[in-house]
Amino acid sequence: MGLLLALRPPQPRPKSLRRATRAQRRERRRAEAEEWMTAERRGWVLDVEVDELLSLVDSAGSSGLLVLGGLDPWSDTVLDRRDLPQLEADVDRLEAAVGTDAQRELVAAIRKLLTCWQAEPDLLLHCYGD
């Protein structure tokens, strides 16, 4: 089970493709696939193992983590730039609670994603749960 963290531009409200032609549906899927491939190349996508993240959040004290402690790994969430300072503080607390190499790598990957977000102010952090 995973939690997908992705930096994406604000998404327009999805329109129903129920009445779209096959060509319109193909074009939309192609455009979405290109967007995801570009995001992965830029380092804007992080696939997190939920069990690893939850154990780290628990050891850091989930009640003190305002953003990460409130994330539901089974639903979707969108974070904007106002959440970034608190999210960085949460990652600092996670870093202090690291106990294994896997957790250390997870914190480093989250920190790298946040660094990319600081460089791209127009993006939002989308959290897609299982």
Side-chain angles (χ1 to χ4, degrees):
M1 195 170 356
L3 177 67
L4 187 67
L5 304 176
L7 294 174
R8 299 181 75 190
Q11 301 296 300
R13 187 173 188 160
K15 294 181 181 177
S16 172
L17 291 179
R18 189 173 54 178
R19 295 185 180 182
T21 65
R22 281 188 215 143
Q24 289 171 323
R25 288 183 181 148
R26 268 194 309 270
E27 177 59 29
R28 181 171 177 184
R29 285 197 282 297
R30 185 191 62 73
E32 287 176 354
E34 284 179 9
E35 177 188 349
W36 280 103
M37 288 187 327
T38 301
E40 286 179 353
R41 276 194 307 270
R42 292 181 176 174
W44 294 355
V45 178
L46 177 61
D47 194 0
V48 176
E49 188 64 39
V50 170
D51 295 333
E52 190 71 31
L53 180 63
L54 289 179
S55 70
L56 185 56
V57 166
D58 287 342
S59 51
S62 62
S63 62
L65 302 173
L66 296 180
V67 176
L68 291 176
L71 271 184
D72 183 359
W74 295 276
S75 65
D76 299 343
T77 304
V78 178
L79 303 173
D80 63 19
R81 297 288 292 185
R82 293 173 297 198
D83 298 313
L84 185 57
Q86 186 57 51
L87 190 55
E88 288 175 330
D90 287 359
V91 172
D92 290 340
R93 288 193 63 171
L94 288 181
E95 193 167 40
V98 163
T100 65
D101 288 338
Q103 290 177 340
R104 191 171 289 106
E105 290 174 12
L106 174 60
V107 170
I110 293 172
R111 197 172 292 285
K112 181 181 174 189
L113 185 67
L114 295 181
T115 301
C116 290
W117 194 12
Q118 289 172 342
E120 297 289 337
D122 296 334
L123 299 178
L124 300 174
L125 181 61
H126 292 255
C127 307
Y128 300 104
D130 275 346

